[in-house]
Amino acid sequence: MADTPQPEADANWWRGAVIYQVYPRSFADSNGDGTGDLAGVRSRLPYLAELGVNALWFNPWYPSPMADGGYDVADYRDIDPMFGTLAEAEKLISEALALGIRTIIDIVPNHVSAAHPWFREALAAGPGSPARERFWFRPGRGEHGELPPNNWPSQFGGPAWTRTTNTDGTPGDWFLNLFDSEQPDLNWNHPDVRAEHEDVLRFWFDRGAGGVRIDSAAMVTKDPLLPDLTDDPAAPHPYVDRDDLHDIYRSWRRIADSYPGARILVGEVWMPDAERFARYLRPDEMHTAFNFDFLSCPWEPERLRISIDTTLAAHEPVGAPATWVLCNHDVTRTVTRYGREDTGFDFATKAFGIPTDLAKGTRRARAAALLTLALPGSVYLYQGEELGLPEVEDIPVERLQDPMYLRGGGSDPGRDGCRVPIPWSGTTPPFGFSPAGAAEPWLPQPADWAARTAELQSGDPDSMLALYRSAIGSRAAEPGLGDGPFTWLDTPATVLAFRRTPGFVCAVNLGPDPVALPPHTAVLLASGPLTAEQTLPQDTAVWLRS
């Protein structure tokens, strides 16, 4: 089909964009089946336009058995029936563009679903067949092949290998799955795999997509010898951050650059080494990558300052803008995390029953919103964060669906708590998520979310939604925000304060005592009330005209 026209905006829109993450299953349900869908998103486009975002990033919307929330993709060129149709996706992309909002779709290059035609063909073809060469099939170790081919662990617990059964019922070869056993890893040494993904990029760019977010971008290629993991820090990792990844993303960048308008590549790159992280952002590779260091950073002034400095320093040599994010579909929601004694995030420390002070967490989340929206670069906003939604931590265990919980032996609560359908209106579930008389939402909503609906907050000037609308609107109107210069101000150790232009300052007080505001001529926006003496209270941020 013909290209959908892109807005005639600055080709560098992505350098300072506010990008809203849509988890389709939990955003808005139009047909009453309890699951969010694309028609629901289309009906809420005016809300997103009023919020002021520049783009929408969609978690996978493809046909999928949903073994891992859609990240087990069975067909990259269609839409799962629970979400709608391909025609609906095309309408959504077009209607959003008409409002000046671009669409970023998720690509999952590391693996496909076990229901993907390639994998079904590989299983049917049997050991040694060409169809199996698109994946990592290997015989097992041990006298009878009863042990996995190597010691690689799955990200979801247990070994990263699953054994097949031959047609005669005997145990067969093993296949690699770094995530769920329903997500077989692809072999990127195979030309079919590369050609297929390049064609998928063109398929969605032809339909007007403004970019792609690349899932698990640093785990895609593997050492073909499949060696065991070792404790030797000098040994190259066999499947993380391999040098051969960069040729793949250079080829993708050439495809993106061949389209009119700025079609961007956004990497999910968990990388502690700042220099190696920056390699993915060289001018001929990805445009941006997620900043997980800042996302997981605790609410502590020194740690935040270090994270900001490290992030900006890593991006500066390659001329790429930083990205800032507080939460996503995998991470404990900000209001909850910031209300805990340990305000950082680590998958290894997730557990049931951690005490949370939601009032404190909300104050900090409001301040963090102004902090992130004032930093140089682009910002990602996970759906429901603008409503101040907390993590739902009392989902009945029989309703939990995340494989992190299911494969973790019940000790890890998983990620369902940040994926609960968001509340739009009304006083009882489903809070406008579904129409009247609908099936119960796929995950249960707390009854006390009646106080957090978008409808209620729209009429409250002191609400989290009002704060986000004001901040995003001011960011768009303020010429020095988004991408651009940044200078720290000399302040007490408990305060983060910086200048973005000669006329704009952001200050955040993370200490226990009120502090004097930096020199200014006007207060533009504050995350909470200032003191009677016009000083900045604890856990409060302010934007100033200076």
Side-chain angles (χ1 to χ4, degrees):
M1 62 176 291
D3 285 356
T4 302
Q6 297 286 296
E8 295 297 325
D10 181 0
N12 289 322
W13 65 271
W14 49 276
R15 298 187 67 91
V18 177
I19 301 168
Y20 188 93
Q21 180 187 352
V22 177
Y23 193 76
R25 201 175 182 185
S26 297
F27 189 72
D29 167 25
S30 70
N31 62 9
D33 64 359
T35 298
D37 48 46
L38 300 190
V41 180
R42 290 175 61 206
S43 73
R44 299 295 181 177
L45 284 175
Y47 167 87
L48 295 165
E50 184 178 3
L51 186 59
V53 299
N54 306 109
L56 306 177
W57 158 38
F58 285 86
N59 289 100
W61 54 17
Y62 314 106
S64 168
M66 293 291 164
D68 182 24
Y71 282 89
D72 46 322
V73 179
D75 183 355
Y76 275 108
R77 296 176 182 81
D78 206 352
I79 300 297
D80 194 286
M82 77 163 65
F83 299 137
T85 64
L86 180 58
E88 192 105 54
E90 292 170 351
K91 288 180 182 178
L92 173 54
I93 293 170
S94 178
E95 290 168 0
L97 281 172
L99 295 171
I101 301 173
R102 293 165 171 85
T103 295
I104 298 170
I105 62 168
D106 231 312
I107 296 291
V108 190
N110 181 71
H111 49 261
V112 293
S113 167
H116 191 283
W118 278 5
F119 192 69
R120 288 179 170 176
E121 178 188 2
L123 288 181
S129 64
R132 291 197 169 189
E133 293 176 4
R134 297 181 181 128
F135 301 91
W136 295 101
F137 283 88
R138 292 292 186 274
R141 296 189 289 192
E143 182 180 357
H144 303 290
E146 71 277 11
L147 301 176
N150 65 26
N151 68 350
W152 296 0
S154 163
Q155 298 295 301
F156 294 159
W161 293 90
T162 299
R163 197 168 193 183
T164 63
T165 302
N166 296 323
T167 55
D168 63 1
T170 59
D173 285 345
W174 298 71
F175 66 84
L176 178 66
N177 52 270
L178 288 176
F179 292 86
D180 190 75
S181 59
E182 295 296 308
Q183 296 168 290
D185 280 45
L186 290 164
N187 176 8
W188 274 83
N189 296 319
H190 198 292
D192 287 358
V193 175
R194 293 180 180 244
E196 169 70 0
H197 282 76
E198 291 178 0
D199 190 68
V200 166
L201 289 182
R202 295 187 183 97
F203 180 89
W204 288 106
F205 287 155
D206 286 346
R207 282 154 181 79
V212 296
R213 177 261 190 187
I214 307 164
D215 182 70
S216 301
M219 298 176 65
V220 171
T221 62
K222 282 79 179 173
D223 184 332
L225 299 179
L226 303 178
D228 277 348
L229 281 169
T230 73
D231 295 328
D232 181 2
H237 200 286
Y239 61 82
V240 174
D241 188 34
R242 288 174 47 82
D243 289 340
D244 51 2
L245 282 166
H246 297 284
D247 286 339
I248 295 171
Y249 299 132
R250 289 189 183 99
S251 72
W252 288 21
R253 180 61 177 262
R254 288 192 292 271
I255 293 171
D257 288 348
S258 71
Y259 282 80
R263 314 295 179 100
I264 68 169
L265 307 179
V266 183
E268 183 194 28
V269 183
W270 292 80
M271 192 67 56
D273 186 320
E275 188 275 331
R276 292 195 67 87
F277 172 85
R279 294 183 185 187
Y280 292 87
L281 301 176
R282 290 175 287 196
D284 62 344
E285 295 191 42
M286 299 178 191
H287 295 75
T288 64
F290 285 172
N291 180 5
F292 291 106
D293 182 75
F294 183 79
L295 177 149
S296 59
C297 188
W299 186 249
E300 299 171 8
E302 183 179 2
R303 296 281 296 277
L304 285 167
R305 184 187 290 264
I306 291 171
S307 180
I308 292 167
D309 283 341
T310 301
T311 297
L312 295 177
H315 287 74
E316 194 276 333
V318 290
T323 65
W324 310 98
V325 60
L326 296 171
C327 180
N328 63 27
H329 65 291
D330 290 331
V331 173
T332 303
R333 282 198 177 272
T334 311
V335 163
T336 297
R337 179 164 64 94
Y338 281 165
R340 291 177 170 170
E341 182 176 354
D342 179 1
T343 54
F345 177 79
D346 188 333
F347 283 110
T349 62
K350 289 194 72 173
F352 289 98
I354 300 175
T356 299
D357 181 340
L358 287 181
K360 179 188 292 185
T362 298
R363 288 196 306 273
R364 291 172 170 176
R366 290 175 65 90
L370 294 195
L371 170 64
T372 55
L373 287 165
L375 291 169
S378 58
V379 174
Y380 282 80
L381 172 60
Y382 179 48
Q383 67 180 40
E385 287 288 288
E386 79 279 13
L387 302 178
L389 298 183
E391 187 86 354
V392 181
E393 301 186 282
D394 58 355
I395 300 172
V397 292
E398 65 272 12
R399 296 287 300 275
L400 293 173
Q401 301 188 32
D402 183 14
M404 277 195 167
Y405 167 76
L406 298 174
R407 293 188 61 169
S411 60
D412 185 336
R415 301 163 294 181
D416 289 328
C418 66
R419 300 176 177 183
V420 173
I422 64 176
W424 291 100
S425 60
T427 58
T428 57
F431 298 118
F433 169 73
S434 300
E440 184 181 3
W442 72 282
L443 286 173
Q445 300 163 301
D448 63 5
W449 277 12
R452 300 179 183 270
T453 66
E455 179 183 61
L456 188 67
Q457 294 195 42
S458 290
D460 179 1
D462 296 323
S463 68
M464 184 76 84
L465 178 57
L467 177 70
Y468 266 100
R469 284 176 173 170
S470 295
I472 295 172
S474 297
R475 175 186 169 97
E478 189 69 35
L481 293 185
D483 192 26
F486 170 94
T487 305
W488 287 113
L489 301 182
D490 186 17
T491 61
T494 57
V495 177
L496 300 177
F498 51 88
R499 186 182 306 280
R500 293 302 317 278
T501 69
F504 181 91
V505 165
C506 174
V508 189
N509 180 17
L510 290 88
D513 301 315
V515 296
L517 296 175
H520 64 283
T521 59
V523 174
L524 302 176
L525 188 62
S527 66
L530 304 182
T531 66
E533 296 78 19
Q534 288 293 287
T535 57
L536 191 63
Q538 181 180 19
D539 294 330
T540 307
V542 66
W543 288 1
L544 303 170
R545 178 69 65 214
S546 65

